[in-house]
Amino acid sequence: MFLQAAPVVTQASVSFIATLGALIILAKIAPRLGLVDKPSARKQHTGEIPLVGGLAIALGIAIAILPWTLGMPLG
């Protein structure tokens, strides 16, 4: 049973690592791209908050399903 689940575990692991890496990289370049939430009178945060979480998740999922789209066997 574990051997059948191995491609799923591998794909989930790749997705997690890719998302984490994308989040770290995108958070650093977000201010240069203007992808930040700036504080205002109605917001409680004090600094600029990067708005790249959704983009990082989308990239992580896209990287994880890339082998399927290219027709590569996963297991």
Side-chain angles (χ1 to χ4, degrees):
M1 181 170 173
F2 179 74
L3 293 176
Q4 292 175 344
V8 175
V9 173
T10 302
Q11 192 174 28
S13 300
V14 168
S15 180
F16 175 76
I17 292 168
T19 300
L20 186 61
L23 188 59
I24 292 169
I25 293 168
L26 289 171
K28 290 182 181 182
I29 64 171
R32 285 184 268 164
L33 298 175
L35 296 173
V36 291
D37 185 25
K38 297 178 181 169
S40 66
R42 65 177 185 87
K43 298 177 183 170
Q44 296 180 1
H45 58 85
T46 56
E48 294 182 341
I49 306 298
L51 300 174
V52 294
L55 183 58
I57 291 170
L59 284 172
I61 292 171
I63 290 170
I65 65 170
L66 190 62
W68 277 351
T69 60
L70 297 177
M72 295 178 189
L74 292 176

